[in-house]
Amino acid sequence: MQPTFSLTSPRTSGAIAVLCASVILAGCGKKQAAPPPQQAPQVVVFTVNPAALPMVADLSGRTNAYQVADVRPQVGGLIKQRLFVEGADVKAGTPLYQIDSASYQASYNSARAALTRAKANLLTSGPKVARYKELVAIEGVSRQEYDDAVATYEQAKADVEAATAALESANINLRYTTVTAPISGRTSRSTVTAGALVTAGQADALTTVQQLDPIYVDVTQSSTDLLRLKRQLADGSLKKAGDGQAKVNLILPDGSKYSEPGKLQFSGVSVEPTTGNVVLRALFPNPKGDLLPGMFVRAQLETGIDDKAITVPQVGVSRNQKGEATAMILNKENKVEQRVITTNGTSGTNWIVTSGLAAGDRVIVEGLQKIKPGAPAVAVPAAAPAAGGAPAGAKAPAAAAPAASAQ
């Protein structure tokens, strides 16, 4: 006979009780393993604090020599000798070339002899007029003879004057055979050598002398920016910097800052039709000759002082899909808010903000990857140390966490 089991037997009842207890325990274990509620991410914020800031316009431009003189011969002839070293500094009046002066010396000698002859004729005609004047009074000579003597005397005086002018002209041409530097400065390469034939006033310059200390820097500024600057100075939102001559700093092609500051000398009175720009000219000292004509530089022009300028770290500003500058703000409810802002240049590592932010706004500068607009966040100090892999300042209590300030 097969054995039979009954649900009411003690053995069966015990097995069922054990099975039910196992199921209940398993259910209780799953309920206790549920994850805790997610905490708000911690972020570092920069508190906006308006302060006085010099407004600097960053403009591109090129250097130009203070004075430029193309050296051309004023008399013709053969070049006998070059008297300077190419690329050397020369003083005004320094001989640069020597032209063959033989023919000019001969012309000078001839003019000097003509002047001597004219003066000799004047010596005889003068006393003759005096004698004839006495004789004509007693009718010792005729009136015609006296008039002829006076005419001869006046002609002799004119001959002396003409001979003097001819001698001076010959002397000038003789001096022009030595070609001198018209200004002080640095010479360029020579376009002629000894033996070359040159002519007076020729189109090609023999060399060029450029004065490089001081030196000009010509930069361009858009007419729109210039008008905005004038309006800001007029309504008082900007204060004038300095005593009327704006200070200019220079950034060299290698990115370094030029050691000598310059001053704005000139502002163009007309707008270039093709570009809409106005030319500004600044003057810089150049004692070491570091600046050379034609160099591409950037000029930082101090246009005024904004007493209530707002700046934020560049790391706290990004761009949206429309290309607009945006910043993540932690509002008073400790929730993230995305705000569109307007920037106008930089100051060090900060953006200068002209609209979109106000005093007291807290701009998120760290932890941007952990947040999204509308979500809560907790501000922590910028200098709080990280612990156990947590973000910087993770152990600081939310209520006591001060806002970070950019240095």
Side-chain angles (χ1 to χ4, degrees):
M1 287 182 69
Q2 298 292 333
T4 58
F5 296 94
S6 174
L7 294 176
T8 57
S9 64
R11 185 177 181 181
T12 303
S13 299
I16 294 174
V18 172
L19 180 61
C20 292
S22 300
V23 173
I24 293 172
L25 291 176
C28 294
K30 289 182 179 180
K31 186 175 182 180
Q32 292 177 353
Q38 186 175 4
Q39 295 182 352
Q42 296 176 337
V43 294
V44 176
V45 298
F46 170 88
T47 303
V48 173
N49 183 23
L53 178 70
M55 303 304 295
V56 178
D58 199 341
L59 308 174
S60 60
R62 290 192 180 276
T63 54
N64 287 292
Y66 185 72
Q67 290 188 93
V68 180
D70 291 332
V71 179
R72 292 183 174 86
Q74 294 178 278
V75 295
L78 291 174
I79 297 292
K80 293 187 66 176
Q81 188 179 6
R82 173 167 60 85
L83 305 174
F84 70 98
V85 177
E86 295 173 314
D89 292 329
V90 295
K91 298 291 184 181
T94 301
L96 301 179
Y97 297 93
Q98 181 61 54
I99 299 176
D100 186 5
S101 61
S103 61
Y104 298 99
Q105 183 66 55
S107 297
Y108 174 78
N109 295 338
S110 177
R112 185 173 57 183
L115 177 59
T116 302
R117 183 172 59 250
K119 288 181 177 180
N121 292 333
L122 182 62
L123 288 176
T124 60
S125 58
K128 186 176 181 180
V129 170
R131 289 193 304 269
Y132 274 29
K133 184 176 182 180
E134 296 176 356
L135 292 174
V136 75
I138 61 174
E139 297 183 355
V141 295
S142 66
R143 187 72 184 182
Q144 181 63 47
E145 289 176 321
Y146 173 73
D147 292 341
D148 290 342
V150 173
T152 302
Y153 173 68
E154 294 296 333
Q155 184 176 357
K157 289 199 300 182
D159 289 343
V160 170
E161 292 178 357
T164 301
L167 179 63
E168 181 63 24
S169 178
N171 186 37
I172 290 173
N173 289 334
L174 181 61
R175 292 201 306 266
Y176 280 163
T177 58
T178 301
V179 182
T180 59
I183 61 173
S184 299
R186 185 171 299 177
T187 58
S188 64
R189 69 180 183 87
S190 176
T191 61
V192 295
T193 59
L197 179 63
V198 297
T199 58
Q202 65 183 34
D204 297 331
L206 305 182
T207 187
T208 301
V209 180
Q210 301 181 82
Q211 182 179 347
L212 306 181
D213 183 23
I215 194 169
Y216 284 127
V217 175
D218 292 339
V219 297
T220 56
Q221 184 179 38
S222 70
S223 57
T224 304
D225 292 340
L226 188 61
L227 289 174
R228 184 177 67 249
L229 173 61
K230 288 184 176 180
R231 285 195 297 267
Q232 291 173 336
L233 291 173
D235 61 22
S237 57
L238 280 183
K239 292 184 178 180
K240 289 185 178 180
D243 53 358
Q245 281 190 321
K247 183 179 177 182
V248 187
N249 292 313
L250 210 59
I251 304 300
L252 299 178
D254 60 357
S256 61
K257 184 177 179 180
Y258 184 59
S259 58
E260 300 283 348
K263 291 185 178 181
L264 187 65
Q265 296 286 312
F266 167 79
S267 177
V269 296
S270 60
V271 178
E272 176 63 34
T274 56
T275 62
N277 292 333
V278 178
V279 176
L280 307 177
R281 169 164 281 186
L283 186 65
F284 283 83
N286 190 28
K288 297 180 181 179
D290 294 334
L291 300 178
L292 300 176
M295 291 176 63
F296 179 80
V297 294
R298 288 189 298 111
Q300 295 179 335
L301 174 63
E302 292 187 8
T303 57
I305 299 175
D306 189 350
D307 286 336
K308 298 180 180 179
I310 293 177
T311 59
V312 296
Q314 294 182 7
V315 294
V317 179
S318 59
R319 297 279 174 177
N320 59 17
Q321 294 180 350
K322 297 180 180 180
E324 299 169 323
T326 61
M328 291 295 187
I329 310 299
L330 190 63
N331 60 22
K332 295 180 180 179
E333 291 76 23
N334 287 327
K335 290 187 177 181
V336 179
E337 173 187 341
Q338 187 179 44
R339 192 177 298 174
V340 176
I341 63 175
T342 302
T343 60
N344 181 27
T346 61
S347 174
T349 59
N350 296 338
W351 283 109
I352 301 173
V353 180
T354 56
S355 65
L357 293 178
D361 284 342
R362 297 183 295 172
V363 180
I364 300 174
V365 294
E366 291 185 26
L368 293 168
Q369 70 281 3
K370 302 181 293 184
I371 59 173
K372 62 181 179 179
V378 177
V380 297
K395 290 187 177 181
S405 297
Q407 300 295 328

